[in-house]
Amino acid sequence: MCFVDQSTNRQIISRLMRKARYLLDRDLKDKFTAQSIDEHAIDLSLTNPSLYLKEGVTHVNPRSVSEPFWEEYSDENIKHAEAQRLNAVQLRNVIDGILKKLVADIKQAVEKTRRSFDRRIYESKQAKQTLESQLRDVHLLIDQLEESIKNTEKAIRDKEQYLKLAHTRLDIRHKRPNVELVYDAPQKRLIEEIREIECEIQRLQERLNESHVRLRNLDRDKLILEKDIETKTNTIFVDEVECHEGLRKSISIEDW
């Protein structure tokens, strides 16, 4: 509302200033014209060939004004113009004050935005470093888990060879003839050995299955981290390069 009032006052004073200037210009022009006429009359002499007689020249022109009116008219124009000039100066000072405050507010807003960008860029870089550190840890865990899977698969293959050996021995001993087919200590031990190896293989297989599940989860985590890092990289590029060092660097606010 204050800005609207100031704008209205400025328009009014501007019109009054134009009117005062017009009146002064007209008065000054008339005075220059009158001065030229008087100077021409003074310069006339008896020998001037352009001298002449004119009937009725002694009559007072009805458009003539008195000397007091002439003085008052010029003084009034000068006073009016000076009053408008002072009003204009006062309004200009008010406008200058408004503009100075506006510039100061804009500079403050720009500085706050700059600090916000700096803080956001710093936070984004910190977050990106954290994600990259987590990604390195995940890569290390994946390498370790893949090595563990290889070792477990080798252990299962080794146990399966022992299992085949025990099965083969037991099967061959089933071929003993007649009463020689005794359920003796070696027979019992082979059966126990087969059961022990089968249990060990089962445990190794369960561990292998768990490792594969964990590996899939780590691969998923790796993809998520890589995507997050890519997003953070793009965010930093937009905020730091395109906005902070690009578009906003061109902002220049001069003091009023």
Side-chain angles (χ1 to χ4, degrees), residues 91-103 256:
L91 180 61
R92 177 61 185 269
N93 291 335
V94 173
I95 294 175
D96 284 349
I98 293 174
L99 291 176
K100 285 180 181 179
K101 186 178 185 307
L102 180 62
V103 169
W256 183 261

Side-chain angles (χ1 to χ4, degrees), residues 87-137:
N87 288 338
V89 169
Q90 184 179 7
L91 180 61
R92 177 61 185 269
N93 291 335
V94 173
I95 294 175
D96 284 349
I98 293 174
L99 291 176
K100 285 180 181 179
K101 186 178 185 307
L102 180 62
V103 169
D105 291 343
I106 292 175
K107 283 187 174 182
Q108 185 179 15
V110 170
E111 179 61 21
K112 286 182 179 179
T113 303
R114 184 192 65 78
R115 290 197 297 267
S116 296
F117 265 106
D118 288 341
R119 182 171 61 254
R120 180 58 177 167
I121 291 169
Y122 172 78
E123 292 172 351
S124 296
K125 287 183 177 181
Q126 289 294 110
K128 180 172 176 286
Q129 290 177 1
T130 301
L131 292 172
E132 289 172 340
S133 177
Q134 292 176 349
L135 182 60
R136 287 192 295 270
D137 292 341

Side-chain angles (χ1 to χ4, degrees), residues 5-61:
D5 291 342
Q6 293 293 343
S7 177
T8 303
N9 290 338
R10 183 180 62 182
Q11 294 176 13
I12 293 174
I13 292 178
S14 177
R15 287 196 296 269
L16 293 175
M17 284 292 294
R18 285 196 297 270
K19 179 182 178 182
R21 185 176 64 180
Y22 168 75
L23 293 174
L24 284 175
D25 287 342
R26 188 180 67 177
D27 193 20
L28 186 61
K29 181 180 178 182
D30 290 345
K31 282 180 168 49
F32 276 130
T33 303
Q35 181 180 349
S36 298
I37 292 173
D38 286 343
E39 289 174 350
H40 176 65
I42 292 173
D43 290 339
L44 291 175
S45 65
L46 292 174
T47 58
N48 195 298
S50 62
L51 296 179
Y52 60 89
L53 295 175
K54 184 176 182 180
E55 184 180 354
V57 72
T58 59
H59 296 167
V60 178
N61 193 314

